[in-house]
Amino acid sequence: MPTLYHHPVSAASRFIRLVFREYAIEAELLEERPWEQRRDFLALNPAATLPVYVDESMHAICGAGVIAEYIDETCGALKRDRRLLGDNVLERAEERRLMDWFLLKMDNDVTRHLARERILKTIMSKEHGGGAPDSKALRMARNNIKQHLRYLDWLAGSRNWLAGDKMSYADLAAAGAVSVLDYIGEIKWDEAPQARQWYQRIKSRPSFRPLLADRIRNLPPVSHYADLDF
Amino acid sequence: MPTLYHHPVSAASRFIRLVFREYAIEAELLEERPWEQRRDFLALNPAATLPVYVDESMHAICGAGVIAEYIDETCGALKRDRRLLGDNVLERAEERRLMDWFLLKMDNDVTRHLARERILKTIMSKEHGGGAPDSKALRMARNNIKQHLRYLDWLAGSRNWLAGDKMSYADLAAAGAVSVLDYIGEIKWDEAPQARQWYQRIKSRPSFRPLLADRIRNLPPVSHYADLDF
């Protein structure tokens, strides 16, 4: 059976898990701790990033963007109305821009810092960087999140879905990042009513259920995390 | 006429300039200083990243990866043997993995730090971060470059081109990054003989000439920069 190496705290992994569920692609989920630099994992993906998809023939496809294109080419392009990339080149360009926005820019500005300081450092051993959070990194990320939440709110308010009329990779990429931040209560939903409505819609999809069941050891989510009507 | 917003010190911009030349796509080049956060540029690309391509109909396509896919869909897919993305899904996945490697991972580990500390800080005004280089950032990047050069050497030695039999986006992405670092003499070619042969081949292509003519004010390149037989 194909395998998806992922981590519940990785926004990019969550994005691909949503894509797989939307397309009903079966894959065994294996939790990987990339900071441990496991030798067999580095052999699959020398960049040591998540997620990595290993298909039936043992080909490793590395990174969320690369997996998303691979899945579109092998599966999505046949789905007609349910395809998660747009039908024309400009729609696809906008969807890809927003995938990069949420999985690269927002990750660099916000997500990976809050995930690391507030979640991963409680899991990591001392030699891998575990310990108390760095208050400077927290402050920087919490400052940056405001601009990202405003942008998300603007996108959600001015379009039906984030990249246009149809739900696309852009929504699932954004949802992957937002769900990590929402787990630890870092999203101030009161300040972004239109983003909240968008998230309620996407959170209600059956594909989202496994993400809402994710639990991190010794760190329960905020009370509204799995609540569809928060 | 279509426009490409770029900067000579941006590896991702150089990659797209190579792609345009290989496909003989005409575009006016406009040099942009993204650190100045020019309002009109932010309206094109709120992420403030380079490059940005604005087509005849004034649609802005933002970021090297997104432009590369757009150009493949509108132009490359018709080029048969000269297409810069592979013919099958696994080839394309490997090419995209290496594009990410050279434009995201190597950029984070090495390229943007050396470019910033050694080049951009000599151009930037003080308010935008100009000034003396940060020796800690230089040391970190120079330490990381060794692993990247070894990997490039290994790829160049074990395959005809970096991602396989044919020249692809992977080679042009790598060449974009390498050419920035070579301008300031940060590549120790003696330590990577196979990477050197690969770079000699790609540097000799007509598409490369405009890059070799790039000059940064008050900072001439190392003597071998434009030499095809270095």
Side-chain angles (χ1 to χ4, degrees), chain B residues 23 76 79-88 91 95 159-171 198 201:
Chain B
Y23 282 154
K79 296 279 179 184
R80 297 171 179 252
D81 280 0
R82 292 183 43 245
R83 186 179 176 189
L84 294 164
L85 265 180
D87 293 323
N88 76 57
E91 283 172 24
E95 290 155 6
R159 298 163 172 187
N160 188 26
W161 291 93
L162 296 187
D165 289 339
K166 284 171 54 187
M167 190 183 76
S168 75
Y169 277 167
D171 298 279
W198 161 83
R201 269 195 293 162

Side-chain angles (χ1 to χ4, degrees), chain B:
Chain B
M1 176 131 101
T3 305
L4 184 71
Y5 293 83
H6 81 113
H7 194 279
V9 172
S10 144
S13 299
R14 285 177 167 235
F15 162 51
I16 293 299
R17 284 165 68 198
L18 289 172
V19 171
F20 278 30
R21 281 273 164 165
E22 288 289 335
Y23 282 154
I25 296 169
E26 300 264 348
E28 186 183 2
L29 290 183
L30 277 186
E31 191 175 313
E32 180 67 37
R33 299 172 162 213
W35 59 88
E36 292 179 356
Q37 303 261 314
R38 205 164 54 80
R39 189 184 286 262
D40 288 351
F41 181 64
L42 290 181
L44 287 177
N45 181 12
T49 49
L50 286 174
V52 173
Y53 176 57
V54 179
D55 75 3
E56 291 98 339
S57 312
M58 299 299 283
H59 297 114
I61 319 287
C62 303
V66 181
I67 297 172
E69 298 292 342
Y70 175 87
I71 293 297
D72 184 65
E73 291 175 348
T74 54
C75 168
L78 309 166
K79 296 279 179 184
R80 297 171 179 252
D81 280 0
R82 292 183 43 245
R83 186 179 176 189
L84 294 164
L85 265 180
D87 293 323
N88 76 57
V89 287
L90 289 171
E91 283 172 24
R92 286 195 289 280
E94 177 64 356
E95 290 155 6
R96 290 179 177 126
R97 179 182 77 84
L98 291 175
M99 280 167 61
D100 283 356
W101 181 280
F102 291 107
L103 297 180
L104 301 179
K105 181 172 170 54
M106 188 171 166
D107 211 61
N108 270 327
D109 292 348
V110 180
T111 321
R112 71 182 167 83
H113 303 288
L114 290 175
R116 183 183 171 87
E117 300 303 327
R118 291 211 42 211
I119 309 177
L120 295 181
K121 279 188 169 180
T122 70
I123 303 173
M124 290 168 158
S125 68
K126 248 208 166 104
E127 59 171 320
H128 289 127
D134 173 347
S135 58
K136 210 174 127 195
L138 283 178
R139 205 160 44 236
M140 181 273 290
R142 283 176 176 152
N143 196 38
N144 290 341
I145 202 174
K146 295 174 199 162
Q147 182 214 347
H148 280 280
L149 199 58
R150 267 199 303 274
Y151 191 54
L152 182 66
D153 200 52
W154 178 81
L155 288 171
S158 50
R159 298 163 172 187
N160 188 26
W161 291 93
L162 296 187
D165 289 339
K166 284 171 54 187
M167 190 183 76
S168 75
Y169 277 167
D171 298 279
L172 302 183
V178 166
S179 68
V180 169
L181 296 168
D182 196 42
Y183 188 98
I184 46 178
E186 293 283 353
I187 310 259
K188 295 190 176 149
W189 290 114
D190 290 347
E191 296 174 8
Q194 297 171 117
R196 171 187 249 157
Q197 280 185 25
W198 161 83
Y199 192 55
Q200 280 173 339
R201 269 195 293 162
I202 206 153
K203 201 172 165 180
S204 305
R205 298 183 71 82
S207 65
F208 221 93
R209 270 179 223 148
L211 271 60
L212 298 180
D214 275 355
R215 289 295 175 273
I216 293 142
R217 198 180 44 163
N218 298 333
L219 187 73
V222 295
S223 59
H224 69 256
Y225 173 69
D227 186 353
L228 298 185
D229 192 26
F230 56 104

Side-chain angles (χ1 to χ4, degrees), chain A:
Chain A
M1 175 134 100
T3 305
L4 184 71
Y5 292 83
H6 82 113
H7 194 279
V9 172
S10 144
S13 299
R14 284 177 167 236
F15 162 50
I16 294 299
R17 285 165 67 197
L18 289 172
V19 171
F20 278 30
R21 282 272 165 165
E22 288 289 336
Y23 283 154
I25 295 169
E26 299 265 347
E28 186 184 2
L29 291 183
L30 278 186
E31 191 175 312
E32 181 68 36
R33 299 172 162 211
W35 59 88
E36 293 179 356
Q37 303 260 314
R38 206 165 53 82
R39 189 183 286 263
D40 288 351
F41 182 63
L42 289 180
L44 287 176
N45 180 11
T49 49
L50 285 174
V52 173
Y53 176 56
V54 179
D55 75 3
E56 292 97 339
S57 312
M58 300 298 284
H59 297 113
I61 319 288
C62 303
V66 181
I67 296 171
E69 298 293 342
Y70 174 87
I71 294 297
D72 184 64
E73 291 175 347
T74 54
C75 167
L78 309 168
K79 296 280 179 183
R80 297 170 178 253
D81 280 359
R82 290 183 45 244
R83 185 178 177 192
L84 295 165
L85 266 179
D87 293 324
N88 77 58
V89 287
L90 289 171
E91 283 171 23
R92 285 195 290 280
E94 177 65 355
E95 289 155 6
R96 289 178 177 126
R97 178 182 78 82
L98 291 176
M99 278 166 62
D100 283 357
W101 181 282
F102 291 107
L103 297 180
L104 302 179
K105 180 169 171 57
M106 187 169 166
D107 211 61
N108 271 327
D109 293 347
V110 180
T111 322
R112 71 182 166 83
H113 303 288
L114 290 175
R116 183 183 170 86
E117 300 304 326
R118 291 211 42 212
I119 309 177
L120 295 180
K121 279 187 168 180
T122 69
I123 303 174
M124 290 168 157
S125 68
K126 247 206 166 105
E127 59 170 320
H128 289 126
D134 173 347
S135 59
K136 209 175 130 196
L138 283 178
R139 205 160 44 237
M140 182 273 291
R142 282 176 177 152
N143 196 39
N144 291 340
I145 201 174
K146 295 174 199 160
Q147 182 213 347
H148 280 280
L149 198 58
R150 266 200 303 274
Y151 190 54
L152 182 67
D153 201 51
W154 178 82
L155 287 171
S158 50
R159 300 163 170 186
N160 188 24
W161 292 93
L162 297 186
D165 289 340
K166 283 171 52 187
M167 191 185 75
S168 75
Y169 277 168
D171 298 280
L172 302 184
V178 166
S179 68
V180 170
L181 296 167
D182 196 42
Y183 188 98
I184 46 178
E186 292 284 351
I187 310 258
K188 294 190 175 147
W189 289 113
D190 290 346
E191 295 173 10
Q194 296 170 119
R196 171 188 250 159
Q197 280 186 23
W198 161 83
Y199 192 55
Q200 280 173 338
R201 269 196 292 162
I202 205 152
K203 201 172 165 181
S204 305
R205 298 184 71 81
S207 65
F208 221 93
R209 271 179 223 147
L211 271 61
L212 298 180
D214 275 355
R215 289 296 176 274
I216 294 142
R217 197 180 42 161
N218 298 333
L219 187 72
V222 295
S223 60
H224 69 256
Y225 173 68
D227 185 353
L228 299 184
D229 192 28
F230 57 103

